[in-house]
Amino acid sequence: MDLKEFHRRSIEDREAFWAEQATLIDWHAPFTKVLDDSRLPFTRWFVDGQTNLCHNAIDRHLAAQSDKPALIFVSTETGDERTYTFGQLHREVQRMAAIMQALGVRRGERVLIYLPMIPEALFAMYACARIGAIHTVVFGGFASHSLATRIDDAAPVLIVSADGGSRGGKVVPYKPLLDEAIGLSSHKPAHVLMVDRKLTPFSRVADRDQDYAALREQHLEAQVPVTWLESNDISYILYTSGTTGKPKGVQRDVGGHAVALAASMKHIFCGQAGETYFSSSDIGWVVGHSYIVYGPLIAGMATIVYEGTPLRPDAGILWKLVEQHKVSVMFSAPTAIRVLKKQDPSYLTKYDTSGLRTLFLAGEPLDEPTAKWIAEGIGRPIIDNYWQTETGWPILSVAHGVEKTPTRFGSPGMPMYGYDVRLLHEQTGEEVGNNEKGVVAIVPPLPPGCLQTIWQDDKRFVDTYFSSIPGRQVYSTFDWGIRDDDGYYFILGRTDDVINVAGHRLGTREIEESLSSHSAVAECAVVGVADQLKGQVAMAFVVLKDPALVEAQQGRLKLEGDLMATVDRQLGAVARPSRVHFVTVLPKTRSGKVLRRSIQALCEGRDPGDLTTIEDPMALEQVRGAIAPA
């Protein structure tokens, strides 16, 4: 089928289109209405239908795939590897569900999961889905203050945690962080279920803290039936990163979520039952929820749960896993690929990746040089895709399960089915034409799988997402975009990352793209810095493939001039950075997002703000040192 026709039908004949997609999952009771959009921007999908995410991910595959792999756990941190078949996973999830019920967890109550990338984290998520509890996963190792705000907002009756995780060979103790967070929070969970990995000693709180291994032994033969939920019941809450003050809990439904993931696995990711899917993300982020935990198993695929980095034990580990587990579909982030760009390129061809049909990349804009480098390096197709925590699945991509639409370097693709995407003028709300910059927005109703609301804050949901474009009630992505004459979209950066240089509006993304095209650059970040004369100027921070190029002052000045000339040539003098600073690492969150606002704050002499999610605190010190007066 033609992709444009497929998309047109999903917008103009929504109910018939999504009724068809709904046949991709099991329903315990049929829905009576496909879409209730009587209270836009709030939507209800598959009204009165009863289903369950755990059933669709595990139980329904038991007849045909009970002895086939479902969950493949690999830790290059501890050397631990375990594979669970669908049958074994089914039993483990029932044991975890029985433990939760014994600890007082009931339907609709919240369970906070604060775990590293280990199988027990997925057991806990599936168990919540099975019994109708609402899980909220917090990235493992998150700082106590941020964890406390999430405990207060979600008010969990149970927290599932571990003694610790490991990253880059260093143990990260979780229990002291958790105990401090519970001390800081006004809400106190009745129980904490502890998975003891024997990585680091920890103290137990009497009566509150329970041992997972001991309770598992008590429930080895547990049989916990599926709790059938109405499609619009809540499946989970996931807090978006980078929020200040009261955290923003994205709330997802059950039926729409299951249908959206099943459809995306078929149309976008082209996964087949019996194959293996590998996402190098973390369950603490939305990619982990959608495409480690739920999506692959709903499609009958095995999912790889990886605890480790792209560089341990060496830069070939990701491709080794692809070869070893016959991975068909892989999902990673541009950041991970840029990290590999600084390593020996021979690792790209050391392992047999011929079985890998596609490498999908998302999480941040994919620059053309990085996309070309990895495509040529592994010789496999690369597909970009653009989406958000709030949407749960791709807004822009190509859907090769519908039509073999060509990809275009630098572009995540076209609007996916269900998304009525528009480019709007930020001040007038009017649509802009092709090759004109506008805010990427979606006309409601949002398709299945997108957020229902913000947990316990409908007003904030409307105010945040549907009130920023004058005269239009549309969902704002808060990203600038441009559309070419063939319908491909290009993301230019956040609307709040736009630099106004002497009246010229420039997206930091455009300048970063230009700098990245230079052969010496591994990655870079550009921020707008206040300037008395021009309002703002661009300042760049660049990581080089070879740091030796700037060891001498003369080399540093020459390369800075070359990079400025590159931007000058490609974008014009107005876009030329005022300075190019060289660092060996950019400050990033643990999910790989560059902390541009913190960099900007340092450049302007301000407090860099909340740094609880920073991967390497020394990275910010490098920025501080780079901008310090000589």
Side-chain angles (χ1 to χ4, degrees):
M1 181 184 286
D2 176 84
L3 179 58
K4 289 184 177 178
E5 171 59 22
F6 193 73
H7 180 266
R8 184 201 62 77
R9 190 165 163 265
S10 75
I11 302 301
E12 295 181 7
D13 195 5
R14 279 191 176 90
E15 301 211 11
F17 178 88
W18 286 108
E20 289 173 11
Q21 305 309 313
T23 63
L24 296 172
I25 70 164
D26 279 1
W27 295 90
H28 178 66
F31 44 87
T32 59
K33 187 176 178 62
V34 175
L35 168 63
D36 174 4
D37 57 357
S38 60
R39 287 183 59 239
L40 288 179
F42 301 94
T43 55
R44 299 174 72 230
W45 286 97
F46 312 114
V47 180
D48 296 327
Q50 291 182 12
T51 189
N52 183 284
L53 279 163
C54 182
H55 168 86
N56 277 288
I58 302 172
D59 297 56
R60 71 172 178 150
H61 302 300
L62 294 175
Q65 294 185 219
S66 181
D67 59 348
K68 298 286 179 63
L71 191 161
I72 300 165
F73 169 58
V74 178
S75 173
T76 52
E77 298 289 334
T78 64
D80 192 9
E81 294 192 19
R82 284 177 269 163
T83 296
Y84 297 84
T85 64
F86 276 95
Q88 291 168 333
L89 181 59
H90 185 240
R91 288 189 286 277
E92 291 293 349
V93 169
Q94 289 184 94
R95 290 162 184 160
M96 181 68 84
I99 292 169
M100 288 184 177
Q101 290 180 330
L103 294 177
V105 179
R106 299 291 178 261
R107 174 175 176 168
E109 293 181 327
R110 275 77 60 210
V111 174
L112 189 144
I113 299 169
Y114 184 62
L115 285 170
M117 287 291 287
I118 56 176
E120 291 80 3
L122 279 78
F123 300 166
M125 294 173 77
Y126 293 133
C128 287
R130 189 172 195 84
I131 64 176
I134 298 167
H135 62 65
T136 182
V137 180
V138 178
F139 184 86
F142 220 53
S144 298
H145 176 74
S146 297
L147 178 55
T149 60
R150 286 149 177 77
I151 292 171
D152 275 336
D153 196 59
V157 296
L158 171 69
I159 294 178
V160 186
S161 191
D163 56 330
S166 181
R167 186 165 178 84
K170 296 179 181 177
V171 172
V172 180
Y174 283 18
K175 189 55 161 54
L177 295 170
L178 176 59
D179 286 342
E180 184 183 351
I182 294 174
L184 290 170
S185 60
S186 56
H187 173 82
K188 308 298 179 187
H191 293 290
V192 172
L193 180 63
M194 291 298 301
V195 179
D196 187 0
R197 306 181 70 196
K198 306 292 193 290
L199 290 180
T200 179
F202 65 95
S203 58
R204 297 180 188 272
V205 176
D207 298 326
R208 188 196 74 185
D209 295 353
Q210 308 293 323
D211 183 65
Y212 169 71
L215 290 176
R216 179 180 174 277
E217 285 297 314
Q218 294 177 25
H219 295 281
L220 284 177
E221 305 305 319
Q223 294 187 13
V224 179
V226 163
T227 297
W228 299 107
L229 303 170
E230 199 274 334
S231 176
N232 295 279
D233 284 344
I234 304 167
S235 63
Y236 71 74
I237 305 163
L238 181 60
Y239 291 95
T240 53
S241 59
T243 54
T244 56
K246 183 178 165 68
K248 190 168 59 179
V250 167
Q251 177 181 310
R252 194 94 62 211
D253 67 359
V254 177
H257 181 43
V259 171
L261 292 181
S264 72
M265 291 302 299
K266 178 181 179 181
H267 303 310
I268 300 173
F269 298 100
C270 305
Q272 304 291 324
E275 295 181 340
T276 301
Y277 193 106
F278 176 26
S279 168
S280 65
S281 183
D282 188 286
I283 59 162
W285 316 119
V286 71
V287 172
H289 279 56
S290 293
Y291 298 113
I292 295 177
V293 180
Y294 291 116
L297 268 70
I298 286 173
M301 301 178 78
T303 187
I304 293 180
V305 176
Y306 176 56
E307 181 184 44
T309 71
L311 301 179
R312 183 180 170 89
D314 56 49
I317 182 59
L318 299 183
W319 317 118
K320 181 182 179 182
L321 292 174
V322 168
E323 176 187 272
Q324 185 178 343
H325 297 288
K326 299 179 172 58
V327 173
S328 303
V329 186
M330 184 174 171
F331 194 136
S332 193
T335 294
I337 305 305
R338 292 188 195 111
V339 165
L340 297 179
K341 275 175 79 176
K342 292 183 275 186
Q343 310 301 313
D344 184 345
S346 67
Y347 282 113
L348 297 179
T349 53
K350 183 176 179 180
Y351 299 99
D352 180 8
T353 57
S354 60
L356 181 65
R357 279 198 303 275
T358 314
L359 170 61
F360 289 85
L361 295 172
E364 62 195 273
L366 174 62
D367 58 281
E368 186 172 337
T370 298
K372 283 184 175 177
W373 179 83
I374 190 62
E376 292 167 0
I378 65 172
R380 309 309 303 154
I382 309 300
I383 295 183
D384 193 358
N385 55 117
Y386 162 78
W387 48 296
Q388 301 178 319
T389 299
E390 290 84 351
T391 67
W393 60 284
I395 301 170
L396 303 171
S397 190
V398 291
H400 282 178
V402 180
E403 181 189 11
K404 296 288 185 187
T405 314
T407 57
R408 193 161 290 185
F409 281 128
S411 167
M414 303 174 180
M416 289 294 90
Y417 52 90
Y419 290 104
D420 188 356
V421 180
R422 310 290 177 90
L423 284 175
L424 303 178
H425 192 283
E426 65 165 337
Q427 292 171 334
T428 67
E430 295 176 357
E431 291 195 44
V432 302
N434 290 346
N435 305 303
E436 293 182 40
K437 187 189 298 183
V439 179
V440 180
I442 303 164
V443 178
L446 297 180
C450 292
L451 79 167
Q452 293 174 294
T453 186
I454 291 173
W455 167 251
Q456 294 189 320
D457 203 339
D458 287 351
K459 182 179 184 298
R460 190 177 180 192
F461 170 70
V462 176
D463 290 348
T464 300
Y465 297 109
F466 291 90
S467 304
S468 65
I469 306 292
R472 302 286 296 266
Q473 190 184 66
V474 292
Y475 174 90
S476 174
T477 65
F478 298 101
D479 278 312
W480 290 110
I482 198 165
R483 180 182 55 241
D484 68 15
D485 291 332
D486 297 321
Y488 286 83
Y489 282 69
F490 296 78
I491 302 300
L492 305 177
R494 298 291 289 175
T495 55
D496 46 12
D497 282 342
V498 169
I499 305 174
N500 193 326
V501 181
H504 298 273
R505 296 176 67 79
L506 302 165
T508 55
R509 167 96 172 104
E510 296 165 286
I511 304 172
E512 289 171 358
E513 282 264 11
S514 180
L515 289 167
S516 294
S517 70
H518 192 286
S519 60
V521 175
E523 61 178 332
C524 64
V526 173
V527 296
V529 179
D531 181 83
Q532 285 188 326
L533 180 63
K534 298 182 179 179
Q536 280 184 305
V537 292
M539 194 171 289
F541 294 83
V542 168
V543 177
L544 298 174
K545 293 174 184 173
D546 181 7
L549 291 172
V550 294
E551 283 179 356
Q553 177 73 0
Q554 188 174 356
R556 179 183 294 262
L557 291 173
K558 181 182 184 303
L559 187 52
E560 182 176 15
D562 286 349
L563 290 169
M564 287 182 172
T566 299
V567 177
D568 208 339
R569 186 169 58 252
Q570 294 181 359
L571 300 177
V574 70
R576 184 173 57 223
S578 63
R579 285 298 311 274
V580 177
H581 296 290
F582 298 102
V583 292
T584 60
V585 63
L586 294 174
K588 295 175 182 175
T589 66
R590 297 186 191 95
S591 64
K593 291 186 177 178
V594 177
L595 290 163
R596 289 178 178 81
R597 291 184 189 176
S598 295
I599 296 173
Q600 181 189 50
L602 285 182
C603 292
E604 295 181 346
R606 296 183 284 108
D607 185 328
D610 181 9
L611 300 174
T612 54
T613 64
I614 194 169
E615 170 73 24
D616 179 4
M618 291 309 297
L620 215 55
E621 289 307 308
Q622 279 203 42
V623 171
R624 204 186 299 270
I627 62 177

